[in-house]
Amino acid sequence: MKNIRNFCIIAHIDHGKSTLADRLLEYTKTVDIKENQVLDNMDLEKERGITIKSHAIQMQYKYKNDCYTLNLIDTPGHVDFSYEVSRSIAACEGALLIVDASQGIQAQTIANLYMAMEHDLEVIPVMNKIDLPGAMPDEVEDQIINLLGVKKEDIIRASGKTGEGVEDILKAIIERIPAPAGDPDAPLQCLIFDSVFNSFRGIIAYFKIINGTIRKGDRVKFVATGKEYEADEIGVLKLEMCPRQELSCGDVGYIISGIKASKEVKVGDTITHVARPCEKAIEGFEEVKPMVFAGVYPIDSEDFENLRNSLEKLQLNDASLTFQPESSIALGFGFRCGFLGLLHMEIIQERLDREFDMDVITTVPNVSYRVYDKRGEMKEVHNPFGLPDPALIEKIEEPYIRASIITTTNFIGPIMTLCLGKRGELIKQDYISGDRVELIYDIPLGEIVIDFYDKLKSISKGYASFDYHLHDYRPSKLIKLDILLNGESVDALSTLTHVDNAYSLGRRMCEKLKDLIPRQQFDIAIQAAIGAKIIARETIKAVRKDVTAKCYGGDISRKRKLLEKQKKGKKRMKQIGSVEVPQKAFLAVLKLD
């Protein structure tokens, strides 16, 4: 056990985690690297250049005539996937904190660092990308010293591209990170930190052994669900799975036991022996809190069950996705899904399309509100059509987040203007080092859910970084904004919004829909309404045939008669005609500028 080291890599998005992980794998001769970012094995990850899923891999390294086993867990850097990071941290004793030498410390770096400190991990600071022409190693070194309070010689300078400093990193992992503590003879306790679905072998759970030893063929029990299984195969994770006869305390590995149903495996659950169970389950694993809710509906209503199966399999791979069935008048049966953020929602939508071949419509994302009625009872409302009658509502509370924005001083003005426009309150402003400043804001979650992050990036030329956590609920003046097509409400387009934003939002939505809904044989009225009050209107003119083309000369009454006849037909058509709203109209509403 003293030769095992479990560590993860944490950093802000795009600071070179996956490239550095490649170098570590190459240096320890674990794999032959033919392409970059070996651990990002999803097509989506390669295309976007981001890590979505955390990956575990085992390496062997010889140091001072001893052979060490290093278990690396590579983690995502984007704030939407911070749940993946929390799971990885729970399975490690140490962490490499990577900072880009050209960008310096960013918001997500600080957030991940605090998470690692809460779990008492040994943090090794690494300054990456020092070979870049724009690198500022001395300035960034000062920032790291201010943040961590470490000595200058503790910071490792490295480059994922050239491989410089990789040997120092491996040395530091062995010397500074403690070996896992635990008793190999105690009752078995394993923490499940991930799971994947394999269509031939069922569900494969990844775990870390805290205490005890597990052998192939043992009868094991999953504590949270109470189900018992046989360990058909256990092993360690290299790039492929490598079966082993036994795994002991401190090891990171996988178990295959022919589990079919996805709800039988919970991430954060404890595995123990049936014959000699442990006294209590492992603690320190937080339940995921979805921030953004949206309805996901199959385009063809017969695909409802397929969509359910696809979401269950996705949930195994991504435990931060939550869903429950719901129905809508306009879209039929579907699911109300909870996501950690907008990028997360986009990725899930794309994965449904690619991995499961599902065509889905996603409604406008919103957050959960607390509605108190006149009797003082509280009800959580996730979507606008769950709102009770306005006459019965005493007050509505909306969630506020505590946001940390780190930027350079020359962008403070535009960023403050943006936050004030989103009803934000400035809590404090700290100068971290040099010209870098941290702004702490309380902002309603509903305001940042749609386009805040994109706007922040564009006004700061990409230099502002953003991190947030749920802070509290506060009373707010919210109203339901409905969109009507020919007098019929389209529930998938209705939103809950603040009184001050309602008029401009309603007007913009009507204008946008006018461009996107195809013209019909009859006039279509697009209206935005608050209750019974119409606040904006646009009309899509009908496609008409020129019925008077054959009347040249002659009496005007002949033309009028033909036009009257056409008008009657149009009116009848409008009564029975229905307006199809294209999928891109739902998506365009999210991207209102």
Side-chain angles (χ1 to χ4, degrees), residues 15 20 96-105 124-131 135-144 152 154-160 164-165 169:
H15 279 205
L20 203 65
L96 296 181
L97 180 80
I98 292 184
V99 180
D100 184 333
S102 61
Q103 296 181 52
I105 285 171
I124 300 175
V126 176
M127 188 164 43
N128 194 18
K129 303 194 185 180
I130 57 166
D131 58 315
M136 317 171 288
D138 298 335
E139 289 170 34
V140 175
E141 217 161 53
D142 293 342
Q143 289 176 19
I144 296 174
K152 194 167 182 174
D154 290 346
I155 301 169
I156 300 170
R157 295 190 176 195
S159 162
E164 186 183 335
I169 293 175

Side-chain angles (χ1 to χ4, degrees), residues 197-208:
F197 180 79
N198 181 313
S199 44
F200 301 107
R201 314 201 58 178
I203 290 155
I204 303 169
Y206 296 167
F207 61 79
K208 179 198 174 187

Side-chain angles (χ1 to χ4, degrees), residues 4-18:
I4 296 176
R5 300 286 183 272
N6 298 321
F7 68 101
C8 60
I9 299 185
I10 53 178
H12 191 77
I13 189 166
D14 200 27
H15 279 205
K17 292 178 300 299
S18 303

Side-chain angles (χ1 to χ4, degrees), residues 389-403:
D389 183 24
L392 304 172
I393 298 175
E394 178 70 36
K395 64 174 181 184
I396 302 179
E397 289 187 346
E398 64 174 335
Y400 267 71
I401 57 158
R402 177 65 54 92

Side-chain angles (χ1 to χ4, degrees), residues 30-42:
T30 307
V31 269
D32 276 342
I33 293 188
K34 296 183 178 63
E35 54 179 329
N36 285 338
Q37 274 117 354
V38 178
L39 294 181
D40 291 353
N41 50 11
M42 231 187 283

Side-chain angles (χ1 to χ4, degrees), residues 292-297 311 322-327 334-339 363-367 381-385:
V292 175
F293 294 88
V296 174
Y297 293 88
L311 283 169
T322 56
F323 63 91
Q324 62 204 55
E326 70 164 5
S327 63
F335 293 93
R336 178 119 212 109
C337 297
F339 307 99
T363 62
V364 179
N366 45 40
V367 297
V381 172
H382 295 309
N383 44 11
F385 39 97

Side-chain angles (χ1 to χ4, degrees), residues 405-423:
I405 300 168
I406 294 180
T407 178
T408 49
T409 41
N410 38 350
F411 298 118
I412 292 182
I415 288 174
M416 284 185 162
T417 313
L418 172 72
C419 293
L420 287 173
K422 297 283 185 188
R423 300 189 284 132

Side-chain angles (χ1 to χ4, degrees), residues 296-547:
V296 174
Y297 293 88
I299 285 181
D300 192 350
S301 55
E302 289 162 7
D303 287 341
F304 177 71
E305 277 306 316
N306 293 350
L307 182 60
R308 182 198 292 271
N309 295 337
S310 306
L311 283 169
E312 278 178 359
K313 286 174 189 168
L314 257 183
Q315 194 177 29
L316 275 178
N317 204 310
D318 180 353
S320 48
L321 169 70
T322 56
F323 63 91
Q324 62 204 55
E326 70 164 5
S327 63
S328 129
I329 306 152
L331 301 167
F333 289 101
F335 293 93
R336 178 119 212 109
C337 297
F339 307 99
L340 294 183
L342 276 190
L343 177 72
H344 187 210
M345 174 175 132
E346 210 177 301
I347 295 287
I348 292 286
Q349 216 175 324
E350 195 113 331
R351 285 181 71 181
L352 279 173
D353 182 29
R354 292 187 184 198
E355 294 170 32
F356 303 98
D357 211 15
M358 294 293 314
D359 284 338
V360 293
I361 287 180
T362 312
T363 62
V364 179
N366 45 40
V367 297
S368 59
Y369 297 95
R370 291 179 179 172
V371 179
Y372 292 86
D373 59 15
K374 293 273 177 17
R375 291 197 296 272
E377 287 173 9
M378 193 269 283
K379 174 181 165 189
E380 278 216 348
V381 172
H382 295 309
N383 44 11
F385 39 97
L387 210 61
D389 183 24
L392 304 172
I393 298 175
E394 178 70 36
K395 64 174 181 184
I396 302 179
E397 289 187 346
E398 64 174 335
Y400 267 71
I401 57 158
R402 177 65 54 92
S404 143
I405 300 168
I406 294 180
T407 178
T408 49
T409 41
N410 38 350
F411 298 118
I412 292 182
I415 288 174
M416 284 185 162
T417 313
L418 172 72
C419 293
L420 287 173
K422 297 283 185 188
R423 300 189 284 132
E425 296 169 27
L426 181 64
I427 303 300
K428 66 175 182 186
Q429 143 180 6
D430 287 333
Y431 285 86
I432 303 172
S433 65
D435 63 343
R436 299 172 73 75
V437 62
E438 181 180 29
L439 302 170
I440 307 278
Y441 267 95
D442 278 359
I443 308 177
L445 181 59
E447 293 281 345
I448 69 154
V449 119
I450 292 183
D451 58 354
F452 180 81
Y453 193 63
D454 296 346
K455 282 187 176 165
L456 180 70
K457 280 288 178 209
S458 59
I459 61 174
S460 67
K461 303 196 170 91
Y463 277 109
S465 61
F466 173 67
D467 182 65
Y468 61 87
H469 60 267
L470 200 62
H471 189 54
D472 58 357
Y473 280 79
R474 302 182 190 180
S476 184
K477 281 177 141 178
L478 295 167
I479 45 173
K480 182 179 164 193
L481 179 71
D482 286 315
I483 298 292
L484 314 174
L485 292 181
N486 281 342
E488 297 269 322
S489 167
V490 182
D491 56 4
L493 289 173
S494 52
T495 50
L496 280 171
T497 178
H498 195 259
V499 178
D500 302 347
N501 304 344
Y503 283 91
S504 67
L505 182 68
R507 199 175 60 249
R508 293 200 325 255
M509 277 171 93
C510 288
E511 285 166 5
K512 195 86 176 190
L513 288 170
K514 185 183 177 183
D515 299 338
L516 290 166
I517 294 175
R519 288 172 72 185
Q520 308 283 343
Q521 297 275 337
F522 49 88
D523 283 2
I524 305 170
I526 305 169
Q527 293 163 312
I530 299 171
K533 184 178 169 195
I534 304 292
I535 58 169
R537 168 175 175 141
E538 293 284 336
T539 308
I540 299 176
K541 284 292 178 202
V543 181
R544 316 182 77 127
K545 178 181 165 193
D546 189 359
V547 286

